[in-house]
Amino acid sequence: IDPRVLVEVGSAAGMFCEEALACGAFKRVIGIEPSAAQAATCRSMGVEIIEATLEQTDDLDASADVIASFETIEHVYSPRDFISRCHKLLTPGGMLVLTCPNYDGFDIMTLGVLSDSLDAEHINMFNPSALRGLVESLGFDVLEISTPGELDAELVRNKVLDDTFCLDDQHFLRKILIDDWTTRGQLFQEHLKAQRLSSHMWLAARRKD
């Protein structure tokens, strides 16, 4: 990747942009953030900011070599328009990095409506296959898709311990998450990660030339 221009879509309070500037890996870092308050916070940190949604953003004065967007695509009205816009703003061969919830993930599938990931603002629900299919259909080669989450088993365990969720009829999960937690809990979480069954999902893709 040519380390010229990094764009973050959904910069929020600017923490990632600030870190990207500090590490000096890119010549230019641009944030796109529609919230006026959060955009102001970004500016106060020295981050170059475009105060708009991605879809409202006019063409950049330089093509992006990398676009990163964390926990944003699940909130947008049209994921297809969102990815198409990313494709247009990227240089040929440029990289797109996305994160979002995986609705085939363990804590979401186990807890259902009790999962904190089922947010009223999450209007798009992806799993690895669906996210890959969308991105590939819009001119990208997917390089990697993973679910590197660390908290799925612990999130379910905590719901059980605070009596929010009951495992009385799920003897296997009770053994893993409660009875044998100290010896099996981390191993179980590693299995979820390896099998793309964590509820936290990452995708990296490259724009086709």
Side-chain angles (χ1 to χ4, degrees):
I1 298 297
D2 196 336
R4 293 173 300 178
V5 181
L6 167 68
V7 174
E8 184 189 12
V9 181
S11 304
M15 289 184 291
F16 177 75
C17 286
E18 182 183 38
E19 187 65 25
L21 285 169
C23 77
F26 287 84
K27 296 181 177 67
R28 186 177 177 192
V29 175
I30 304 169
I32 297 176
E33 174 52 52
S35 164
Q38 302 219 75
T41 299
C42 292
R43 291 191 192 97
S44 72
M45 298 160 59
V47 174
E48 181 180 352
I49 201 78
I50 297 172
E51 192 176 319
T53 66
L54 175 66
E55 295 82 358
Q56 295 167 340
T57 303
D58 294 330
D59 288 344
L60 301 174
D61 58 6
S63 296
D65 300 291
V66 175
I67 293 178
S69 184
F70 306 116
E71 311 302 301
T72 299
I73 192 171
E74 68 270 23
H75 295 270
V76 303
Y77 178 73
S78 173
R80 179 169 289 275
D81 290 347
F82 183 90
I83 299 298
S84 293
R85 189 65 178 155
C86 288
H87 186 277
K88 182 176 181 180
L89 295 178
L90 278 167
T91 58
M95 181 173 285
L96 173 66
V97 179
L98 297 173
T99 75
C100 67
N102 168 25
Y103 282 87
D104 281 349
F106 175 71
D107 80 272
I108 295 175
M109 294 287 283
T110 302
L111 296 173
V113 295
L114 296 176
S115 171
D116 295 332
S117 294
L118 287 175
D119 189 313
E121 295 182 356
H122 292 181
I123 58 176
N124 304 293
M125 298 184 181
F126 291 102
N127 58 29
S129 176
L131 188 60
R132 174 188 288 274
L134 174 65
V135 171
E136 288 181 339
S137 74
L138 294 170
F140 287 90
D141 289 321
V142 173
L143 305 177
E144 179 181 337
I145 189 162
S146 61
T147 65
E150 298 285 352
L151 299 177
D152 303 74
E154 185 176 347
L155 289 170
V156 176
R157 171 181 161 83
N158 288 342
K159 295 285 189 183
V160 175
L161 293 177
D162 68 14
D163 292 325
T164 304
F165 186 69
C166 180
L167 288 177
D168 287 350
D169 60 347
Q170 300 190 53
H171 303 299
F172 174 78
L173 289 183
R174 172 165 285 279
K175 184 171 182 62
I176 297 294
L177 301 179
I178 304 298
D179 300 338
D180 295 347
W181 175 252
T182 57
T183 57
R184 301 180 189 272
Q186 186 58 42
L187 291 172
F188 184 65
Q189 183 64 44
E190 292 299 323
H191 171 75
L192 295 176
K193 292 164 60 176
Q195 298 301 315
R196 295 181 181 168
L197 292 172
S198 167
S199 294
H200 177 61
M201 179 164 53
W202 282 73
L203 177 141
R206 190 184 298 274
R207 179 185 154 170
K208 294 179 181 178
D209 294 344

